[in-house]
Amino acid sequence: MERMTELVNILNEAASAYENDREIMSDFEYDRLYDELLLLEANSGVVLENSPTQKVGYEVASSLEKVRHHTPLLSLDKTKEIGKLESFLADHEGVLSWKLDGLTIVLKYSNGLLSQALTRGNGEVGEDVTHNAKFFRNIPKGITFKGDLWVRGEAVISFTEFERINEGMEGEKYKNPRNLCAGTIRQLNSRIAASRKVDYFAFAVLEHSEYKSQTKERALVFLADQGFALAEYKMVNTENVADAVEGFKQTVDKMDYATDGLVLTYDDVEYSASLGATSKFPRDSLAFKWADELATTRLIGIEWNTSRTGLINPIALFEPVDIEGSTVARASLHNVSIAEGLELGVGDEISVYKANMIIPQIDENFTRSGFVGHPDTCPVCDHSTILRDEKGVKTLHCDNAHCRARVARTIVHYVGRDGANIEGLSEKTIEKFIDLGYISNFSHIYKLGEYAEQIKGMEGFGERSYAKLTDAIEKSKTLDLANFIYALGIDNIGLSGAKSLCRHFGYDFDAIRLAEPDDFSAIDGFGDIMAQSIYSYFRNPQNNENVDAALSHLNIKRPETVAPVESSLIAGKTFVITGDLKHFDNRKALTEYIEELGGKVAGSVSKKTNYLINNDTASASSKNKKAQELGVTIIDEQGFLGLVDNNH
């Protein structure tokens, strides 16, 4: 691999020099090295993406297609304490690697060739950027493995390349390499990506790949053998992880790539799979962040922002400061009590940081001149504000249901990706439509055709933009019930909660609307607050009127496979899945099927487990042994399908 990489770099440099009327080697020497590279590629089966033997034409995509990931790409839980890394490892071995600060990309290879590249997106759905991934400098064009292979890695642009590109730009420049990389990869014209040096570092084989390994380190070695560049990693245990972290820290300043910490993951693949995940994080990996970077600045003032629920949030505005690679000039204060507690006054000297390296926060107020106070009227509609004190926490509210900000943000939430998913309706566009009287509730979205000519004449619109918007609205009319419930914006009910509601009530929306608080409290994971939120929402006549008006335009989908919950042998049962599957494409598909039938899927076998699904029921695997010890029934896929058939 080293010789192949060396040849590719030498030949590309020679070709570039030739194109710029310079000659750094003779034609004879170029041809000799070119033939050597061809022979290496033929013998190894590996072809680097930037190899001069490959001639790839530029592509222009009309749009970035949305594609659902085979395996959800969850974000990682974070810590800044080495002690937590040590307790996380316990008696297990782990892989510790750089957490590169770029854009996560999943590459799919089929029959040895790159067939698809997806961004992480929201973790469930990513954007297809295959046309640009073909121009990543260091990914293999072809690999020896001929099965389906999904590789997760990070696309990055070096500091050196970042500075080169910014120097050549006029006007506003990119803030940091990550922004430049993200903007490059999401370009529709691949010529732009080809002109910028994007590198790709692989760090995992995804679980649905045909390649299987017992350890993650072996999978990394396999990826290296296939021609992938790897993020630097070290094998660690409880005794040496602190030294390994220190070793990484000593070299961070020498890195030509941005990094925001490290990632620790268990080496054992089967053990990792047995742990499962929370609704947000996988349990087998943990991100380690360096200590918070603090910056001192001065408070300019406090801005008050009205949300869709009527809550008016205070936001601190301060003189811009650079923290961890980006410029920060505002930070949420969350509620009135926090602003009062910090005694924030205009001109105060404050220190700020990024919580979890992401969210700007105020750390301390050094001068404490005194809280400037909260507004008596809503900053948007001028309706009088209400100060509420619940258990010592003061919050400010606008009680005007027709407040422009409340209506706008409610509709923004409704059209979002996990809701009605209507592209083309940005917050600014929605605010314009509200001001013009085109929209005041959900159902009005589906009547925008009444204002077709006016919208086409608006700034930023035209025939094409209007056509795209109407197509998106038409497409959104077929909607899953869980996404519709989430789109309504009921307090404390996220998408996961909406899905649980649907499963519990057998996808009967009328049953959900008529249910009592105790009916909701019976749902696993629902507490009194969530139960009261749903109950109160559907006891409001105005809400029900808006819901019915929206439903008159919609085709709400109900899973065809779902069995009546009360008669399902799966409902209320807890399953654990292990081993290879034959009937279902992957574990995610089987998990979703079980959940549709009212069951639950856990990552590890416990006393609460009802069934372990394993096609190798006689194996001596750790999960089989655990199930036998606890008296848990072990069934294969056919046994599971037998339970399903007995429902009918």
Side-chain angles (χ1 to χ4, degrees):
M1 281 301 301
E2 290 183 9
R3 179 55 177 167
M4 185 184 295
T5 302
E6 180 184 17
L7 287 171
V8 167
N9 291 337
I10 292 172
L11 291 169
N12 283 340
E13 184 180 357
S16 177
Y18 183 80
E19 290 170 1
N20 289 283
D21 298 322
R22 292 187 300 111
E23 189 171 317
I24 61 176
M25 69 172 61
S26 66
D27 291 344
F28 175 82
E29 180 66 8
Y30 184 92
D31 291 342
R32 185 185 68 79
L33 295 178
Y34 187 91
D35 289 342
E36 181 185 351
L37 176 60
L38 278 175
L39 184 62
L40 279 175
E41 290 177 344
N43 290 338
S44 67
V46 173
V47 181
L48 297 181
E49 176 58 40
N50 59 336
S51 170
T53 66
Q54 305 300 303
K55 299 295 182 182
V56 182
Y58 300 121
E59 298 178 40
V60 179
S62 60
S63 63
L64 297 180
E65 181 185 354
K66 303 292 192 300
V67 180
R68 185 168 292 278
H69 290 291
H70 282 77
T71 299
L73 305 184
L74 301 178
S75 56
L76 298 180
D77 199 2
K78 303 172 182 67
T79 184
K80 296 173 185 174
E81 302 174 20
I82 290 180
K84 285 193 176 181
L85 298 183
E86 293 171 338
S87 60
F88 173 84
L89 283 168
D91 57 350
H92 296 280
E93 191 170 26
V95 181
L96 184 69
S97 64
W98 285 116
K99 189 175 185 296
L100 297 174
D101 191 18
L103 194 67
T104 298
I105 300 288
V106 173
L107 302 178
K108 180 186 178 184
Y109 283 77
S110 301
N111 197 29
L113 299 174
L114 176 66
S115 59
Q116 190 178 61
L118 301 178
T119 65
R120 180 182 181 275
N122 65 359
E124 294 280 348
V125 176
E127 293 175 315
D128 191 320
V129 291
T130 310
H131 64 298
N132 286 329
K134 292 176 181 177
F135 293 94
F136 291 172
R137 287 200 307 170
N138 60 342
I139 67 167
K141 175 74 175 177
I143 61 176
T144 57
F145 184 75
K146 301 306 179 187
D148 287 338
L149 181 71
W150 279 267
V151 181
R152 183 175 180 179
E154 199 81 358
V156 291
I157 286 179
S158 67
F159 288 119
T160 302
E161 178 69 356
F162 168 71
E163 291 169 3
R164 181 190 73 81
I165 292 172
N166 259 357
E167 285 175 3
M169 293 183 66
E170 296 182 1
E172 188 175 356
K173 300 181 185 294
Y174 284 96
K175 294 286 187 184
N176 53 55
R178 186 191 185 283
N179 288 348
L180 172 60
C181 186
T184 299
I185 293 172
R186 298 187 73 256
Q187 292 287 336
L188 298 180
N189 190 339
S190 64
R191 183 182 290 274
I192 297 173
S195 69
R196 299 172 180 175
K197 298 175 182 178
V198 180
D199 291 317
Y200 183 82
F201 292 93
F203 53 76
V205 174
L206 295 189
E207 65 181 40
H208 52 280
S209 294
E210 290 181 13
Y211 171 79
K212 304 295 179 185
S213 173
Q214 293 180 337
T215 69
K216 294 174 187 176
E217 183 188 21
R218 289 181 187 174
L220 291 173
V221 172
F222 162 77
L223 289 175
D225 289 341
Q226 298 299 311
F228 291 95
L230 304 179
E232 181 188 352
Y233 70 90
K234 297 178 182 179
M235 301 306 297
V236 295
N237 54 38
T238 304
E239 295 180 357
N240 68 4
V241 67
D243 291 338
V245 169
E246 183 60 29
F248 277 110
K249 188 175 183 180
Q250 293 299 325
T251 60
V252 69
D253 292 338
K254 302 173 185 176
M255 290 271 288
D256 198 23
Y257 298 99
T259 172
D260 55 356
L262 305 169
V263 174
L264 177 62
T265 185
Y266 294 120
D267 187 36
D268 188 313
V269 171
E270 183 178 0
Y271 179 69
S272 290
S274 73
L275 297 174
T278 68
S279 61
K280 294 183 179 180
F281 309 119
R283 292 191 175 96
D284 71 329
S285 301
L286 188 63
F288 176 80
K289 300 285 189 176
W290 313 117
D292 289 324
E293 179 183 333
L294 293 173
T296 302
T297 182
R298 291 196 178 277
L299 188 75
I300 296 173
I302 296 179
E303 178 182 277
W304 297 85
N305 187 18
T306 307
S307 73
R308 62 183 173 83
T309 63
L311 178 66
I312 304 177
N313 301 300
I315 298 171
L317 307 179
F318 43 82
E319 294 174 359
V321 287
D322 288 331
I323 306 177
E324 294 168 358
S326 65
T327 302
V328 178
R330 52 198 289 130
S332 173
L333 295 169
H334 302 294
N335 56 55
V336 176
S337 291
I338 290 176
E340 284 183 342
L342 286 167
E343 300 178 70
L344 291 169
V346 175
D348 280 351
E349 185 179 359
I350 59 175
S351 61
V352 295
Y353 69 102
K354 284 185 181 179
N356 292 324
M357 303 283 185
I358 298 173
I359 305 170
Q361 301 281 305
I362 292 181
D363 177 60
E364 180 59 275
N365 181 4
F366 300 110
T367 47
R368 293 181 174 267
S369 63
F371 178 47
V372 294
H374 61 76
D376 295 326
T377 60
C378 172
V380 177
C381 69
D382 287 332
H383 191 277
S384 58
T385 58
I386 298 173
L387 185 65
R388 296 174 183 164
D389 190 334
E390 296 181 8
K391 298 181 179 179
V393 177
K394 296 178 183 177
T395 53
L396 192 66
H397 298 261
C398 170
D399 237 14
N400 178 15
H402 302 290
C403 173
R404 174 176 171 273
R406 293 187 63 179
V407 173
R409 292 191 174 110
T410 297
I411 294 175
V412 167
H413 179 83
Y414 180 86
V415 304
R417 182 179 295 173
D418 290 330
N421 192 21
I422 304 175
E423 293 186 15
L425 274 179
S426 66
E427 184 168 359
K428 286 186 178 179
T429 300
I430 287 170
E431 288 175 348
K432 285 182 183 178
F433 288 171
I434 290 172
D435 291 341
L436 292 167
Y438 300 167
I439 293 179
S440 63
N441 61 45
F442 306 140
S443 67
H444 292 166
I445 295 169
Y446 305 103
K447 300 177 182 179
L448 284 173
E450 297 174 5
Y451 307 99
E453 296 308 314
Q454 295 96 314
I455 293 173
K456 290 175 189 176
M458 287 172 57
E459 183 180 351
F461 269 89
E463 291 284 351
R464 282 187 65 186
S465 297
Y466 178 75
K468 284 185 178 180
L469 175 58
T470 54
D471 286 346
I473 291 173
E474 192 62 33
K475 185 179 177 182
S476 76
K477 289 181 180 179
T478 299
L479 188 62
D480 287 336
L481 179 59
N483 295 98
F484 176 68
I485 292 173
Y486 170 78
L488 297 178
I490 304 171
D491 287 355
N492 306 302
I493 304 300
L495 183 57
S496 177
K499 289 180 178 179
S500 295
L501 267 176
C502 292
R503 289 193 294 268
H504 182 77
F505 287 95
Y507 294 83
D508 185 339
F509 187 52
D510 288 335
I512 294 172
R513 295 173 79 171
L514 297 173
E516 298 293 324
D518 288 346
D519 298 323
F520 299 120
S521 297
I523 303 173
D524 187 32
F526 274 52
D528 292 341
I529 293 176
M530 292 175 71
Q532 192 59 47
S533 287
I534 307 164
Y535 177 77
S536 298
Y537 184 90
F538 288 117
R539 291 305 175 276
N540 183 315
Q542 184 64 54
N543 287 341
N544 280 310
E545 184 179 328
N546 290 337
V547 167
D548 287 333
L551 284 173
S552 68
H553 299 276
L554 299 174
N555 170 31
I556 297 296
K557 292 191 296 182
R558 179 179 184 275
E560 295 178 3
T561 55
V562 70
V565 170
E566 64 273 9
S567 65
S568 172
L569 295 178
I570 310 301
K573 301 294 191 298
T574 299
F575 294 79
V576 172
I577 307 167
T578 190
D580 295 331
L581 299 176
K582 298 174 182 177
H583 181 82
F584 292 88
D585 291 338
N586 49 50
R587 292 184 189 179
K588 182 175 182 289
L590 177 52
T591 297
E592 289 179 348
Y593 186 56
I594 290 170
E595 290 176 344
E596 286 172 2
L597 294 169
K600 294 182 290 184
V601 177
S604 58
V605 178
S606 69
K607 291 180 180 179
K608 295 182 179 180
T609 306
N610 298 105
Y611 295 97
L612 171 63
I613 300 176
N614 187 354
N615 282 324
D616 190 357
T617 57
S619 76
S621 69
S622 59
K623 286 186 179 177
N624 275 14
K625 288 180 181 178
K626 187 72 172 178
Q628 290 164 357
E629 290 173 5
L630 298 175
V632 172
T633 303
I634 304 173
I635 57 175
D636 58 16
E637 278 180 280
Q638 286 303 122
F640 168 74
L641 293 172
L643 291 176
V644 176
D645 289 340
N646 286 333
N647 286 328
H648 308 294

